Amino acid sequence: MPRSRTEVFDPMMEVERPSRCIRFLRLLWKFSRCVFSHVTLISLVVAYCLIGAYAFESLEANHEKEVKKSIKSIRGNVSEKLWEITKDFDVLIRENWTEQALNELKDFEESLLKKMKEGWDGSEEENNIQWTFAGALFYSIIVITTIGESMSKIDI
């Protein structure tokens, strides 16, 4: 029934309460919105960590193995060069041999330092690598938590 112009809206007038079914549906909607938004967010974080772990492992493990192989060849080259220095002398004079051997060892040391900067951990066993799936998963979790911490410090 339409109101007449003279009728004034009374705030104390009783408002019809929604039925139990409508209240239940509203509650269900709020609950599902909350759960699915959080579940989706958590699922995305977990997926990022797992995909990141796989990516880090596949990218870094092969590089680590290559670095370990190159260390073996560097060590073999130094041994060979020291032997050649020793063979080249007709008469082995300590000062001359020591000077050339120290130069070769200095080059060896620089090569090792370069390999350490590339990620060599001191081990030459190719089966003993740092970038396992568990290590890569840990690294991806550290990355995402560090990004989260950095973002929380930014004032927007």
Side-chain angles (χ1 to χ4, degrees), residues 41-132:
L41 182 61
I42 290 169
S43 299
L44 288 173
V45 169
V46 169
Y48 169 83
C49 290
L50 292 174
I51 291 169
Y54 177 75
F56 289 133
E57 180 187 20
S58 63
L59 291 173
E60 295 296 332
N62 291 334
H63 175 71
E64 186 176 354
K65 287 179 183 179
E66 289 173 14
V67 169
K68 288 183 180 200
K69 285 179 185 176
S70 68
I71 291 293
K72 287 181 182 179
S73 68
I74 290 172
R75 185 184 311 280
N77 290 343
V78 168
S79 300
E80 188 63 35
K81 287 179 183 178
L82 288 175
W83 176 245
E84 287 176 14
I85 290 171
T86 305
K87 280 188 350 181
D88 288 345
F89 284 108
D90 293 332
V91 176
L92 194 59
I93 301 172
R94 182 179 183 147
E95 291 80 23
N96 295 341
W97 184 88
T98 303
E99 181 181 337
Q100 288 188 5
L102 285 176
N103 288 337
E104 288 302 320
L105 291 174
K106 185 178 178 183
D107 291 341
F108 176 66
E109 181 182 1
E110 289 173 2
S111 298
L112 288 181
L113 289 173
K114 181 181 175 190
K115 293 299 177 183
M116 289 173 124
K117 288 180 183 176
E118 291 178 14
W120 182 53
D121 65 347
S123 170
E124 292 183 38
E125 294 181 34
E126 291 179 35
N127 295 332
N128 184 18
I129 59 173
Q130 296 176 359
W131 286 100
T132 60

Side-chain angles (χ1 to χ4, degrees), residues 5-69:
R5 290 183 166 213
T6 59
E7 218 178 285
V8 178
F9 176 73
D10 183 13
M12 301 305 266
M13 189 175 184
E14 212 172 293
V15 178
E16 186 178 321
R17 291 185 63 183
S19 69
R20 285 185 182 178
C21 183
I22 297 295
R23 285 187 297 185
F24 175 75
L25 288 174
R26 284 182 186 165
L27 184 63
L28 184 63
W29 173 251
K30 287 180 183 180
F31 176 76
S32 64
R33 210 172 60 185
C34 177
V35 167
F36 290 123
S37 66
H38 287 84
V39 168
T40 303
L41 182 61
I42 290 169
S43 299
L44 288 173
V45 169
V46 169
Y48 169 83
C49 290
L50 292 174
I51 291 169
Y54 177 75
F56 289 133
E57 180 187 20
S58 63
L59 291 173
E60 295 296 332
N62 291 334
H63 175 71
E64 186 176 354
K65 287 179 183 179
E66 289 173 14
V67 169
K68 288 183 180 200
K69 285 179 185 176

